[in-house]
Amino acid sequence: MYDVPDQTGKLAVVTGANSGTGKEAAKRLAAAGARVVLAVRTPAKGEAARAEILAAYPGAQLEVRRIDLADLASVQEFGEQLTADEPHLDLLVNNAGVMNPPDRMVTKDGFELQFGSNYLGPFALTVRLLPLLLAAPAPRVATMASGAANFGRIHFDDLQWERRYRSVAAYSQSKLADLMLSNQLARLSTEHGWGLLSVAAHPGYTNTNLQTTGPSLGRDRTPLATRLMLLAPLPSQGVEIGTEPLLFAAADPAAEHGKYYGPSGRFGLVGPTALAKQPKAALDAETSARLWTVSEGLTGVALPSILRK
């Protein structure tokens, strides 16, 4: 198992920390000495995760704070409260997400649910927290993408899938956007001399509730297609190993700025962490910059003028 480097004295925010890779990341960062904010939509679930982590690591420093990435007002409130309470933030882990709801659903702000929750919410959170991150001595943002990004395309003419909703394609777009967010943030940090490290990761095929929760939204039971997919003989791994690319991106001194990490085993679905090949679309700097600008317009959240100098 990957040994997370010493995180003593660091403050980390992990979104979606009540389950799956988010909870595992929060647990292991806390075990390594970080003070961890479990940023969750449902505080009761966050408290349950906190209790579980404390049972394993009684000395863990954990705090539960509410954020709903599908609600930009909630993102703003979270950012403002954290900024008021803390002098700096060392690490932001953009982990939370939703996968393949069968029907088109929207966020509180009217965005298609996957694009809004998986990308626009994390985009707004990252930009809002940038001043707090840049107050830290060695700030870092780790963003969870997905192998689905390889099949994604940014549909600027229909980002919200209003014409013809396709759940898998919408998910792939949202995860490609996450990877482009990480890459564009890396470019901006380099261009402006921020000293912020931006790194992306993907978990391969890791067994979490992500595969069943999203496809069941709005339905009484998990769709047949999803149940059949889960029965397919694909290589898979547990959350302990599946979280390790994200932990490497978040905490390892060897993680490279602007790079992408994932499993190195069969089909890139399982195995030890290694550099992952990025889809060509994610490396398109012009398109990534365009997506950033469009996202500022959609969310109403832009870089503070002082950071543009």
Side-chain angles (χ1 to χ4, degrees):
M1 185 176 291
Y2 174 66
D3 188 15
V4 177
D6 183 28
Q7 300 293 297
T8 301
K10 293 185 178 182
L11 174 64
V13 167
V14 181
T15 65
N18 60 281
S19 65
T21 54
K23 183 170 68 174
E24 182 69 13
K27 178 174 74 173
R28 288 162 71 175
L29 288 168
R35 183 161 59 95
V36 180
V37 174
L38 283 69
V40 299
R41 185 179 61 185
T42 307
K45 292 181 179 180
E47 292 294 349
R50 178 178 180 273
E52 181 182 327
I53 296 171
L54 284 172
Y57 301 99
Q61 301 176 75
L62 302 163
E63 177 186 358
V64 176
R65 291 191 182 224
R66 183 183 184 277
I67 185 171
D68 183 354
L69 292 167
D71 178 357
L72 291 177
S74 175
V75 173
Q76 178 178 356
E77 182 180 11
F78 179 94
E80 289 176 349
Q81 289 182 347
L82 191 70
T83 300
D85 294 342
E86 301 292 346
H88 68 266
L89 174 64
D90 298 278
L91 170 64
L92 170 62
V93 180
N94 287 318
N95 163 82
V98 61
M99 179 180 178
N100 298 348
D103 304 306
R104 185 181 183 275
M105 306 174 76
V106 297
T107 69
K108 188 170 182 179
D109 304 283
F111 304 122
E112 187 274 317
L113 183 62
Q114 294 183 94
F115 192 67
S117 298
N118 295 353
Y119 170 68
L120 288 175
F123 170 87
L125 178 64
T126 300
V127 176
R128 286 195 178 279
L129 290 181
L130 268 177
L132 198 62
L133 282 158
L134 297 185
R140 189 181 299 210
V141 176
T143 300
M144 184 71 99
S146 166
N150 291 310
F151 311 103
R153 186 166 71 86
I154 305 300
H155 297 262
F156 284 107
D157 61 339
D158 189 20
L159 287 171
Q160 310 305 332
W161 298 89
E162 293 174 302
R163 295 177 190 166
R164 178 172 172 255
Y165 176 71
R166 291 177 289 143
S167 63
V168 174
Y171 179 71
S172 297
Q173 174 185 256
S174 73
K175 301 315 288 184
L176 173 60
D178 282 334
L179 189 48
M180 294 170 80
L181 164 62
S182 182
N183 290 342
Q184 182 64 10
L185 182 62
R187 293 187 192 98
L188 289 169
S189 178
T190 299
E191 177 184 342
H192 296 290
W194 293 341
L196 177 144
L197 201 69
S198 179
V199 191
H202 77 86
Y205 192 2
T206 295
N207 297 317
T208 71
N209 63 357
L210 185 68
Q211 290 96 345
T212 55
T213 301
S216 300
L217 285 174
R219 302 288 180 90
D220 294 331
R221 57 184 299 183
T222 304
L224 176 61
T226 300
R227 284 181 278 142
L228 291 174
M229 182 191 73
L230 295 174
L231 292 173
L234 291 173
S236 63
Q237 59 192 4
V239 71
E240 295 84 1
I241 301 299
T243 306
E244 292 187 350
L246 182 63
L247 286 167
F248 186 90
D252 203 287
E256 297 182 60
H257 186 52
K259 298 299 185 180
Y260 184 38
Y261 295 90
S264 60
R266 192 178 177 195
F267 306 130
L269 297 177
V270 296
T273 298
L275 272 172
K277 184 179 180 180
Q278 300 201 33
K280 184 177 179 181
L283 298 172
D284 186 332
E286 183 178 342
T287 302
S288 294
R290 179 186 177 189
L291 179 62
W292 184 287
T293 300
V294 168
S295 302
E296 288 184 335
L298 290 171
T299 63
V301 182
L303 290 178
S305 58
I306 191 172
L307 297 183
R308 293 183 182 271
K309 296 179 180 177

Short mmCIF file of all heavy atoms in Angstrom, two decimals, residues 244-270:
data_model
loop_
_atom_site.label_atom_id
_atom_site.label_comp_id
_atom_site.label_asym_id
_atom_site.label_seq_id
_atom_site.Cartn_x
_atom_site.Cartn_y
_atom_site.Cartn_z
N GLU A 244 -4.99 5.52 -4.67
CA GLU A 244 -3.58 5.86 -4.60
C GLU A 244 -3.10 6.83 -5.68
O GLU A 244 -2.26 7.70 -5.39
CB GLU A 244 -2.73 4.60 -4.56
CG GLU A 244 -2.95 3.87 -3.23
CD GLU A 244 -2.04 2.68 -2.99
OE1 GLU A 244 -1.32 2.28 -3.93
OE2 GLU A 244 -2.04 2.17 -1.84
N PRO A 245 -3.60 6.79 -6.92
CA PRO A 245 -3.20 7.84 -7.87
C PRO A 245 -3.58 9.23 -7.38
O PRO A 245 -2.80 10.19 -7.54
CB PRO A 245 -3.95 7.46 -9.15
CG PRO A 245 -4.12 5.98 -9.05
CD PRO A 245 -4.39 5.73 -7.60
N LEU A 246 -4.75 9.36 -6.78
CA LEU A 246 -5.19 10.66 -6.25
C LEU A 246 -4.31 11.08 -5.07
O LEU A 246 -3.93 12.25 -4.97
CB LEU A 246 -6.65 10.58 -5.82
CG LEU A 246 -7.27 11.87 -5.28
CD1 LEU A 246 -7.31 12.94 -6.37
CD2 LEU A 246 -8.69 11.61 -4.77
N LEU A 247 -3.98 10.14 -4.20
CA LEU A 247 -3.10 10.46 -3.07
C LEU A 247 -1.71 10.85 -3.55
O LEU A 247 -1.09 11.77 -3.01
CB LEU A 247 -3.01 9.26 -2.12
CG LEU A 247 -4.25 9.02 -1.26
CD1 LEU A 247 -4.18 7.64 -0.60
CD2 LEU A 247 -4.40 10.10 -0.21
N PHE A 248 -1.21 10.16 -4.57
CA PHE A 248 0.09 10.53 -5.14
C PHE A 248 0.04 11.94 -5.69
O PHE A 248 0.93 12.76 -5.45
CB PHE A 248 0.45 9.53 -6.24
CG PHE A 248 1.84 9.73 -6.80
CD1 PHE A 248 2.93 9.09 -6.23
CD2 PHE A 248 2.05 10.56 -7.90
CE1 PHE A 248 4.22 9.26 -6.75
CE2 PHE A 248 3.33 10.75 -8.41
CZ PHE A 248 4.41 10.10 -7.84
N ALA A 249 -1.03 12.25 -6.44
CA ALA A 249 -1.18 13.59 -7.00
C ALA A 249 -1.28 14.65 -5.91
O ALA A 249 -0.79 15.77 -6.06
CB ALA A 249 -2.42 13.64 -7.90
N ALA A 250 -1.91 14.27 -4.81
CA ALA A 250 -2.18 15.23 -3.74
C ALA A 250 -1.00 15.47 -2.81
O ALA A 250 -0.87 16.56 -2.23
CB ALA A 250 -3.38 14.75 -2.91
N ALA A 251 -0.14 14.46 -2.64
CA ALA A 251 0.81 14.55 -1.54
C ALA A 251 2.25 14.20 -1.88
O ALA A 251 3.14 14.53 -1.10
CB ALA A 251 0.33 13.62 -0.40
N ASP A 252 2.51 13.53 -2.97
CA ASP A 252 3.87 13.04 -3.20
C ASP A 252 4.79 14.12 -3.77
O ASP A 252 4.41 14.81 -4.71
CB ASP A 252 3.84 11.83 -4.15
CG ASP A 252 5.07 10.97 -3.98
OD1 ASP A 252 6.15 11.39 -4.42
OD2 ASP A 252 4.94 9.88 -3.39
N PRO A 253 5.99 14.25 -3.23
CA PRO A 253 6.94 15.24 -3.78
C PRO A 253 7.32 14.95 -5.22
O PRO A 253 7.75 15.86 -5.94
CB PRO A 253 8.16 15.09 -2.85
CG PRO A 253 7.65 14.47 -1.60
CD PRO A 253 6.52 13.59 -2.01
N ALA A 254 7.17 13.70 -5.65
CA ALA A 254 7.55 13.34 -7.03
C ALA A 254 6.46 13.64 -8.05
O ALA A 254 6.70 13.53 -9.25
CB ALA A 254 7.93 11.86 -7.09
N ALA A 255 5.26 13.99 -7.60
CA ALA A 255 4.17 14.31 -8.53
C ALA A 255 4.54 15.55 -9.33
O ALA A 255 4.94 16.57 -8.77
CB ALA A 255 2.87 14.53 -7.78
N GLU A 256 4.38 15.47 -10.64
CA GLU A 256 4.82 16.55 -11.52
C GLU A 256 3.68 17.50 -11.86
O GLU A 256 2.55 17.08 -12.12
CB GLU A 256 5.41 15.97 -12.80
CG GLU A 256 6.65 15.12 -12.59
CD GLU A 256 7.21 14.61 -13.91
OE1 GLU A 256 7.57 15.45 -14.78
OE2 GLU A 256 7.27 13.38 -14.08
N HIS A 257 4.02 18.76 -11.88
CA HIS A 257 3.09 19.84 -12.21
C HIS A 257 2.48 19.62 -13.58
O HIS A 257 3.17 19.37 -14.57
CB HIS A 257 3.86 21.16 -12.18
CG HIS A 257 3.04 22.39 -12.36
ND1 HIS A 257 1.92 22.67 -11.62
CD2 HIS A 257 3.21 23.45 -13.20
CE1 HIS A 257 1.43 23.84 -11.99
NE2 HIS A 257 2.19 24.33 -12.94
N GLY A 258 1.14 19.66 -13.65
CA GLY A 258 0.46 19.53 -14.92
C GLY A 258 0.36 18.12 -15.46
O GLY A 258 -0.05 17.93 -16.61
N LYS A 259 0.73 17.13 -14.65
CA LYS A 259 0.71 15.75 -15.12
C LYS A 259 -0.55 15.02 -14.65
O LYS A 259 -1.37 15.57 -13.91
CB LYS A 259 1.96 15.00 -14.66
CG LYS A 259 3.26 15.57 -15.21
CD LYS A 259 3.33 15.53 -16.72
CE LYS A 259 4.69 15.99 -17.23
NZ LYS A 259 4.79 15.96 -18.69
N TYR A 260 -0.65 13.78 -15.04
CA TYR A 260 -1.86 12.96 -14.86
C TYR A 260 -1.41 11.57 -14.44
O TYR A 260 -0.54 10.97 -15.09
CB TYR A 260 -2.60 12.92 -16.19
CG TYR A 260 -3.93 12.22 -16.25
CD1 TYR A 260 -4.86 12.29 -15.21
CD2 TYR A 260 -4.29 11.53 -17.41
CE1 TYR A 260 -6.09 11.67 -15.32
CE2 TYR A 260 -5.53 10.91 -17.53
CZ TYR A 260 -6.43 10.99 -16.48
OH TYR A 260 -7.65 10.37 -16.61
N TYR A 261 -2.01 11.04 -13.37
CA TYR A 261 -1.60 9.76 -12.82
C TYR A 261 -2.77 8.79 -12.73
O TYR A 261 -3.92 9.20 -12.51
CB TYR A 261 -0.96 9.95 -11.44
CG TYR A 261 0.32 10.73 -11.51
CD1 TYR A 261 0.31 12.13 -11.40
CD2 TYR A 261 1.54 10.10 -11.73
CE1 TYR A 261 1.49 12.85 -11.50
CE2 TYR A 261 2.72 10.82 -11.83
CZ TYR A 261 2.69 12.20 -11.71
OH TYR A 261 3.85 12.92 -11.83
N GLY A 262 -2.48 7.52 -12.91
CA GLY A 262 -3.50 6.49 -12.82
C GLY A 262 -2.87 5.13 -12.66
O GLY A 262 -1.65 4.99 -12.60
N PRO A 263 -3.69 4.07 -12.60
CA PRO A 263 -3.16 2.72 -12.48
C PRO A 263 -2.34 2.33 -13.71
O PRO A 263 -2.64 2.73 -14.83
CB PRO A 263 -4.43 1.85 -12.38
CG PRO A 263 -5.50 2.79 -11.94
CD PRO A 263 -5.17 4.10 -12.56
N SER A 264 -1.32 1.52 -13.46
CA SER A 264 -0.41 1.14 -14.55
C SER A 264 -0.62 -0.28 -15.05
O SER A 264 0.09 -0.74 -15.94
CB SER A 264 1.05 1.28 -14.08
OG SER A 264 1.29 0.42 -12.96
N GLY A 265 -1.61 -0.98 -14.46
CA GLY A 265 -1.84 -2.37 -14.83
C GLY A 265 -2.74 -2.54 -16.02
O GLY A 265 -2.87 -1.65 -16.88
N ARG A 266 -3.43 -3.65 -16.09
CA ARG A 266 -4.20 -4.07 -17.25
C ARG A 266 -5.22 -3.02 -17.69
O ARG A 266 -6.07 -2.59 -16.93
CB ARG A 266 -4.92 -5.38 -16.90
CG ARG A 266 -5.53 -6.08 -18.09
CD ARG A 266 -6.15 -7.39 -17.67
NE ARG A 266 -6.80 -8.06 -18.79
CZ ARG A 266 -7.66 -9.04 -18.64
NH1 ARG A 266 -7.97 -9.49 -17.43
NH2 ARG A 266 -8.22 -9.59 -19.70
N PHE A 267 -5.09 -2.60 -18.94
CA PHE A 267 -5.99 -1.61 -19.56
C PHE A 267 -6.02 -0.27 -18.81
O PHE A 267 -6.92 0.54 -19.03
CB PHE A 267 -7.42 -2.15 -19.67
CG PHE A 267 -7.54 -3.47 -20.36
CD1 PHE A 267 -8.27 -4.50 -19.79
CD2 PHE A 267 -6.91 -3.71 -21.58
CE1 PHE A 267 -8.39 -5.73 -20.42
CE2 PHE A 267 -7.02 -4.93 -22.22
CZ PHE A 267 -7.76 -5.95 -21.63
N GLY A 268 -5.06 -0.04 -17.92
CA GLY A 268 -5.09 1.17 -17.12
C GLY A 268 -6.20 1.18 -16.10
O GLY A 268 -6.58 2.25 -15.59
N LEU A 269 -6.72 0.02 -15.76
CA LEU A 269 -7.85 -0.09 -14.84
C LEU A 269 -7.43 -0.45 -13.42
O LEU A 269 -8.15 -0.15 -12.46
CB LEU A 269 -8.85 -1.15 -15.35
CG LEU A 269 -9.52 -0.85 -16.69
CD1 LEU A 269 -10.41 -2.03 -17.10
CD2 LEU A 269 -10.32 0.43 -16.63
N VAL A 270 -6.31 -1.10 -13.27
CA VAL A 270 -5.86 -1.57 -11.96
C VAL A 270 -4.34 -1.42 -11.87
O VAL A 270 -3.66 -1.21 -12.87
CB VAL A 270 -6.23 -3.06 -11.73
CG1 VAL A 270 -7.74 -3.24 -11.70
CG2 VAL A 270 -5.61 -3.95 -12.80
#
